[in-house]
Amino acid sequence: MFVRRGAAAAVVVSAVLLLGAGCEDPAPKGAQGPSATASPTPSPSATPSAAVMPSVIGKKFVEAEAAVKVLVTRPVEARSAYSDISPDPDHAGWTVCFQTPAAGTAVAGDSAVELSLAAPGTPCPAKAGAELHPSKAPTPAATPATGATPAPAPKPKTSGPTDTGTTGGDGGNGDGATSTGGGGAGVYYKNCTEAKAAGAAPIHRGEPGYRSALDRDNDGTACDK
């Protein structure tokens, strides 16, 4: 009875050993060939995103400058939003009205940034470069009406010397070159023909151009005939 049980146990043990031997890897560890599984390819490093210009409109210059300086190395240029107003040297509290480049634009370290500012209490203009205090345009001179006749220039006034009161004949040579009678020293007529051509005849004593040489009858009126 015990012999049969022992023989049966021996058979079971032998079978277990045979099964275990069949499951073992015939190749010793370390002797296997290259693995069929490919080594994982390293993933490329992520490309850093480009810096973009933030929106700083409406902020104080000191805040906007701080936001921009983390992106660019060049100094931030500040200018007045009005063409007739110069920015104050201490413009830290001025408001940003316009920015260049615009918000969302890619910027590099050497990008130039320009901010247009308005003083505290001053509204931003509709466009950069406008005038805060526009100068009044001069009133154009009135254009004379077409066809209007210009007024004649006034004739210069000549004051003749008072009549000397001398009488007697022609008082000079026949052509009237000299005068002994009173008349206008500023006006001179060689003879009555010349006086009449000028529309001055007759000439009364004391009037410009009168002289006794032209008053042949000595009646106080020259070139009356």
Side-chain angles (χ1 to χ4, degrees):
M1 184 69 178
F2 289 105
V3 174
R4 291 180 180 176
R5 289 181 178 177
V11 171
V12 172
V13 170
S14 299
V16 171
L17 292 175
L18 290 175
L19 290 174
C23 294
E24 291 181 358
D25 191 353
K29 293 182 179 181
Q32 296 181 355
S35 172
T37 304
S39 60
T41 303
S43 58
S45 59
T47 304
S49 58
V52 295
M53 180 70 183
S55 176
V56 295
I57 294 178
K59 294 183 178 180
K60 302 299 182 184
F61 176 77
V62 64
E63 301 173 357
E65 184 182 35
V68 173
K69 277 189 173 181
V70 300
L71 304 176
V72 299
T73 57
R74 297 181 60 175
V76 179
E77 182 179 355
R79 62 183 303 174
S80 174
Y82 292 95
S83 61
D84 57 339
I85 300 296
S86 298
D88 193 90
D90 184 14
H91 50 263
W94 286 37
T95 304
V96 178
C97 296
F98 306 96
Q99 66 177 68
T100 303
T105 304
V107 293
D110 59 347
S111 296
V113 176
E114 179 182 292
L115 303 179
S116 299
L117 315 175
T122 303
C124 290
K127 61 179 181 179
E131 291 185 352
L132 181 61
H133 305 292
S135 57
K136 294 182 179 179
T139 303
T143 304
T146 305
T149 303
K155 294 182 179 180
K157 294 182 179 180
T158 57
S159 58
T162 59
D163 189 9
T164 59
T166 57
T167 60
D170 293 340
N173 55 21
D175 60 0
T178 60
S179 173
T180 59
V187 179
Y188 176 82
Y189 299 109
K190 183 178 180 181
N191 48 45
C192 288
T193 301
E194 185 176 309
K196 291 177 180 180
I203 309 171
H204 301 283
R205 183 181 286 117
E207 292 181 348
Y210 174 86
R211 56 193 180 90
S212 58
L214 301 180
D215 187 3
R216 301 208 177 252
D217 55 3
N218 198 25
D219 61 350
T221 304
C223 300
D224 55 340
K225 295 181 181 179

